[in-house]
Every structure is written in C-alpha cells, then in structure tokens.
Amino acid sequence: MELEGAKLCFDYLQAVAGLTVKVFVSDRHRGIAKRIRECHPTVTHFFDQWRVAKGLVKKLLAASKQKGCEVIAQWVKAVKNHVFWCSTSTKPGFQDLILAKWKSFIQHVSNKHTNHPDKLFEECVHDDDITPRKWIKVGTKAYDKIQEILMKASILNDIKRLSPKAETSCLEGFHSTLNQWHPKMTVFHGLEHFADMSWQACISTRI
C-alpha cells in the first residue's frame, strides 16, 4: 500500500501539478527506496529521523528485557536524541560525517570519549562535566547487544540517509486528523470525492 501511495504521489506531483521533485523524505520502506532509486535517480531520497529513531527505540526496549541487558533501557532516550543530533548538526552531503558521529555513540556508552576509531569524529563534543550515569562496560552482554543493534549494516546505511531537517510529522498530523473522522477500520461509501478534495487541498496548502 505504501509503495502504491508513493507511485501515485509522484505521478500526481509531476504529471498533474507539474512539479519537479528534487528531495523526497519517507520512512525506510525498502520498496519505496528501490522505486526511487531505479525510476527517479535524480531525486535525493532521505529517511525521516523520527521513523528511524522509533525503530531503534523499539529494538532497544525489547533487548533491555533480556537478562543482563537491563541497563540498555537507561540509554534509550540518549540513542533517540543522538539520531536527531547526528543529522541536524551535519551539513547536507556529508554522509560519512553523519555516520562517524553515529558510531561514536558506542564509544560514549562505554565511557570512552576520546580517541574514537573513526578519524572524521575522534572525540565526543560534550563538556567534560558529564552527568553521572551507568556506563556499559565493553565485553558485557549488554554492550554486545547494544552494539549489535546500533552497528547493524542496514542501520548504518539508513543513518547516512537521515533527513537533515525535513520530517514527515506534518503528514502524520494530517493522517491523525483524518483518522478521527474516518477510521481505517470502518468502511465509508461515497467519500471518494471528499478524499480527493482533501488530498488536493493538502497539496495546495503545502505549495
């Protein structure tokens, strides 16, 4: 459904509205990513920060329920904040720097703040006066688990494609409002015209 929606959006914006799409921000849907890569090679495709953070939070909370990994729960908020910081603190086009900043987190959680392995970002930028917290010791089950989640190849690839500022929150809000009056689980007849008008109004407002 998401892929078909993306196809319709591109067709409408380009063929009907006459717009040239230069940047597209979405979740990490692999089908959409492949479609844009193959059919719209000139479009820069970013992944929404909130979506990436949400997926990581879910995995980290699940991992924290395992015996010996409870400490991971204390770092969930920090991971979420780090997702946003990596992308918003880096100029567009410097994907390798975003990735280097991301990788520094696994050093930070073990209380290592200098001499990081990636030369693009060798030390943390926070002050020396750090709020007391429970560090995760290298070699423990908790450290291995959080490293497995944050350093997974697919996650690293997605981190490099984080949107520098644009998010899908406005669209999420629009959908949330629609769901209040037109729940997805309820079938309504005769509203196709209304839905089409709402979609066009949304596009016109954004333009």
Side-chain angles (χ1 to χ4, degrees):
M1 183 173 66
E2 290 86 354
L3 178 56
E4 289 302 315
K7 291 179 181 178
L8 291 174
C9 284
F10 269 94
D11 290 343
Y12 179 86
L13 292 174
Q14 294 179 328
V16 180
L19 298 177
T20 299
V21 180
K22 294 183 178 180
V23 177
F24 186 79
V25 181
S26 72
D27 60 9
R28 297 178 293 162
H29 193 286
R30 301 307 176 189
I32 293 177
K34 181 180 179 181
R35 170 79 180 183
I36 295 177
R37 184 172 62 252
E38 295 179 350
C39 301
H40 305 280
T42 60
V43 175
T44 301
H45 185 198
F46 288 122
F47 291 145
D48 179 65
Q49 305 161 348
W50 180 80
R51 293 281 188 172
V52 174
K54 181 181 179 181
L56 288 171
V57 167
K58 184 177 180 180
K59 292 179 181 178
L60 291 170
L61 288 176
S64 69
K65 292 179 171 56
Q66 298 179 20
K67 186 177 181 180
C69 297
E70 295 83 358
V71 67
I72 292 178
Q74 300 182 29
W75 288 93
V76 170
K77 183 177 180 180
V79 170
K80 183 178 180 180
N81 291 338
H82 196 62
V83 170
F84 289 93
W85 179 79
C86 285
S87 59
T88 57
S89 66
T90 309
K91 292 183 178 180
F94 291 85
Q95 287 85 0
D96 289 337
L97 180 56
I98 293 178
L99 186 59
K101 290 179 177 180
W102 176 254
K103 289 181 177 179
S104 72
F105 188 84
I106 201 64
Q107 304 293 324
H108 175 79
V109 297
S110 65
N111 200 20
K112 182 180 180 181
H113 310 288
T114 58
N115 298 319
H116 295 175
D118 197 313
K119 298 301 180 182
L120 289 177
F121 197 77
E122 296 183 290
E123 60 182 36
C124 298
V125 296
H126 55 69
D127 298 331
D128 293 333
D129 185 17
I130 307 174
T131 304
R133 62 196 65 191
K134 194 166 185 179
W135 305 105
I136 304 179
K137 188 177 180 180
V138 176
T140 61
K141 182 179 179 181
Y143 184 86
D144 291 342
K145 193 62 181 179
I146 194 172
Q147 183 180 45
E148 175 188 335
I149 295 173
L150 301 184
M151 298 295 115
K152 188 176 180 180
S154 59
I155 293 297
L156 297 181
N157 289 331
D158 293 344
I159 290 296
K160 293 175 67 175
R161 299 174 63 178
L162 285 174
S163 172
K165 56 180 180 179
E167 299 181 33
T168 61
S169 56
C170 58
L171 185 59
E172 293 287 343
F174 175 66
H175 286 164
S176 178
T177 301
L178 286 184
N179 287 335
Q180 294 293 323
W181 308 103
H182 189 183
K184 295 179 180 179
M185 300 303 294
T186 305
V187 178
F188 292 87
H189 297 287
L191 292 181
E192 293 82 1
H193 181 62
F194 170 75
D196 182 62
M197 291 177 61
S198 298
W199 165 248
Q200 293 187 37
C202 181
I203 291 295
S204 299
T205 301
R206 296 300 296 170
I207 294 175

